[in-house]
Amino acid sequence: MALGGYIKLFRQFSDWEWYKDINTKCLFLHCLISANFKDAKWQGIVVKRGQFITSLAHLAFETGLSVRNVRTALEKLEKTGEIIRVSTSCQTIITVCKFDSYQCLENETDKPSTSDRQATDKPSTSDRQ
């Protein structure tokens, strides 16, 4: 299932404590792109923005990790506050904490402020002949 849109990923992501942990990084990125970008209802359950419903087996299938690796990565992400996980006997609701910092709201623009624009916005001062 392909979803449209995008997530923002800042360059300082490479300084994140789990960045060198391949399984945890892979799973967290998967959570970011799997989470709802707006509230929705699924089988009578309200799934809020930043949440998605899944299972360990489904996450393993989607990421190519083993169920054990998925479980370990989820535990790490929970421990450091990246996600909140609520499990039942047949499904898990995962909430990405601080989801809004990774996903713009539809009415927000993603244009850099004037001070953040690249030098190409400024007239050239080179002396060409």
Side-chain angles (χ1 to χ4, degrees):
M1 174 170 74
L3 300 174
Y6 63 95
I7 59 168
K8 293 189 301 185
L9 195 57
F10 295 97
R11 291 185 191 278
Q12 67 253 39
F13 183 72
S14 63
D15 296 330
W16 179 51
E17 66 185 295
W18 298 118
Y19 187 77
K20 291 183 179 177
D21 182 323
I22 301 297
N23 294 342
T24 304
K25 177 174 53 176
C26 172
L27 187 65
F28 184 62
L29 289 171
H30 184 73
C31 290
L32 288 175
I33 62 173
S34 298
N36 283 359
F37 64 92
K38 64 181 181 177
D39 292 358
K41 206 169 192 185
W42 181 77
Q43 296 185 356
I45 301 169
V46 175
V47 185
K48 296 186 176 285
R49 174 179 167 80
Q51 295 182 323
F52 65 105
I53 296 176
T54 191
S55 67
L56 292 176
H58 194 68
L59 286 172
F61 173 76
E62 290 180 325
T63 60
L65 300 172
S66 69
V67 171
R68 183 179 185 161
N69 287 340
V70 167
R71 185 180 298 113
T72 301
L74 286 172
E75 289 169 1
K76 291 176 181 179
L77 293 171
E78 275 187 297
K79 180 180 177 183
T80 56
E82 266 71 48
I83 65 163
I84 297 170
R85 177 174 49 154
V86 178
S87 297
T88 66
S89 59
C90 58
Q91 63 195 18
T92 299
I93 297 177
I94 294 179
T95 303
V96 176
C97 302
K98 301 179 187 173
F99 182 72
D100 288 341
S101 64
Y102 295 99
Q103 177 73 52
C104 288
L105 295 171
E106 287 181 31
N107 59 355
E108 290 181 12
T109 59
D110 197 27
K111 295 179 185 174
S113 68
T114 305
S115 63
D116 292 337
R117 288 190 190 135
Q118 294 182 355
T120 56
D121 269 358
K122 298 175 185 172
S124 175
T125 57
S126 65
D127 198 4
R128 293 186 191 169
Q129 295 182 357

